[in-house]
Amino acid sequence: MSIEEYASRIIVSLDPPGGVEIGEWLERVYTSLKGLVAGWKVGWPLILRWGVERVRSFLASASGVRLLDLKLADIYNTMRSVVDVFVDVVDAVIAHSFIGVEGALAELKKLLEEYGVKLVLVYTMSHPGASEVMDQCLDRIDEVVERVKPWGLVAPATRPSLVSRARRRYGDLVIFSPGVGAQGAAPGSAICAGADYEIIGRSIVASPDPLRSVYGLSASAAKILSSCT
Ligand code: BMP
């Protein structure tokens, strides 16, 4: 896989590092990588530190896939009032699957469909503690995924067997895998396990030269990907 091919499978998690001037930092990351990476994930760290209006205007003009990662986990009525703030400037919204279908994910999916926005569900998470509870419930989570039929899933690069499990069950869903780089998973490893995209934050966005970091990640990924594809 070439540098461009691997980069086109990266979603950059735009979580601002401590101490940066956010406008300058975002400009540097975005202009270095736009057109090269697949897209951007925006969540609480950027929204709370930079403000809703600035984040909205960045998203409105950003090219690439725009994921809103607020990990929604509430009753439908509350999720709707949160989603309403961003629904016109994002392509997909991430919600937790453990909240269940009725009164929550069924209605959220319907609302997003009306806006032409896609739903991505968290399958299980990348931190070690996810194996204490979330991984134990995957059979139940599978029932939710099968009923809701989201567009995509988030599955952990740090536990590639679970990425493979999701891929085996859901051949047609788009799988996003966080955990590459700062959390320890090797670049390319989640793609090898069946992910479509690797979500990468700190290894790119905390670097003074994000483009160089993507090149470095791509070089590591090339070795892994040559043995699995
Ligand atoms: P980093 O590469 O800096 O670890 O960032 C990963 C990003 O993906 C963060 O925004 C984090 O909140 C998110 N994430 C994760 O790390 N694990 C998950 O299971 C789900 C996530 O959304």
Side-chain angles (χ1 to χ4, degrees):
M1 196 178 265
S2 68
I3 287 173
E4 288 74 18
E5 281 167 335
Y6 178 64
S8 74
R9 310 279 291 269
I10 296 176
I11 300 284
V12 179
S13 187
L14 292 172
D15 304 322
V20 297
E21 198 291 303
I22 295 186
E24 278 169 22
W25 162 80
L26 188 57
E27 173 74 12
R28 182 171 69 246
V29 174
Y30 180 71
T31 53
S32 320
L33 302 180
K34 72 170 176 206
L36 187 64
V37 297
W40 319 95
K41 182 175 83 63
V42 162
W44 292 119
L46 185 64
I47 295 165
L48 293 177
R49 285 179 55 196
W50 211 36
V52 167
E53 280 319 313
R54 281 190 281 218
V55 173
R56 275 184 48 81
S57 89
F58 164 73
L59 289 170
S61 63
S63 61
V65 178
R66 300 159 300 175
L67 299 185
L68 179 66
D69 178 18
L70 304 178
K71 292 200 185 59
L72 298 168
D74 216 317
I75 61 168
Y76 168 63
N77 189 58
T78 305
M79 293 194 289
R80 181 185 58 194
S81 51
V82 172
V83 161
D84 274 349
V85 176
F86 288 101
V87 83
D88 56 328
V89 291
V90 296
D91 300 295
V93 166
I94 299 175
H96 270 299
S97 42
F98 62 71
I99 59 175
V101 182
E102 217 175 303
L105 293 173
E107 290 84 349
L108 179 64
K109 186 175 178 221
K110 191 161 169 288
L111 174 80
L112 293 176
E113 271 169 4
E114 284 163 18
Y115 286 110
V117 171
K118 298 180 162 78
L119 176 63
V120 175
L121 294 184
V122 178
Y123 195 54
T124 178
M125 294 184 68
S126 59
H127 61 297
S131 55
E132 294 164 19
V133 178
M134 298 182 89
D135 291 5
Q136 310 296 322
C137 306
L138 280 179
D139 290 341
R140 308 298 293 275
I141 296 293
D142 279 320
E143 288 169 22
V144 171
V145 173
E146 276 151 29
R147 285 173 66 195
V148 174
K149 298 189 183 5
W151 173 69
L153 293 176
V154 175
T158 45
R159 296 197 301 299
S161 64
L162 300 182
V163 176
S164 300
R165 172 188 169 128
R167 175 47 73 217
R168 276 195 307 276
R169 281 170 190 253
Y170 309 110
D172 53 339
L173 297 194
V174 180
I175 298 180
F176 298 89
S177 285
V180 168
Q183 294 179 54
S189 58
I191 293 174
C192 272
D196 297 285
Y197 298 98
E198 295 187 349
I199 293 175
I200 308 180
R202 286 164 287 180
S203 299
I204 295 173
V205 302
S207 159
D209 187 344
L211 181 59
R212 204 182 154 96
S213 299
V214 167
Y215 284 170
L217 292 162
S218 301
S220 312
K223 291 184 200 130
I224 287 193
L225 288 163
S226 66
S227 61
C228 82
T229 47

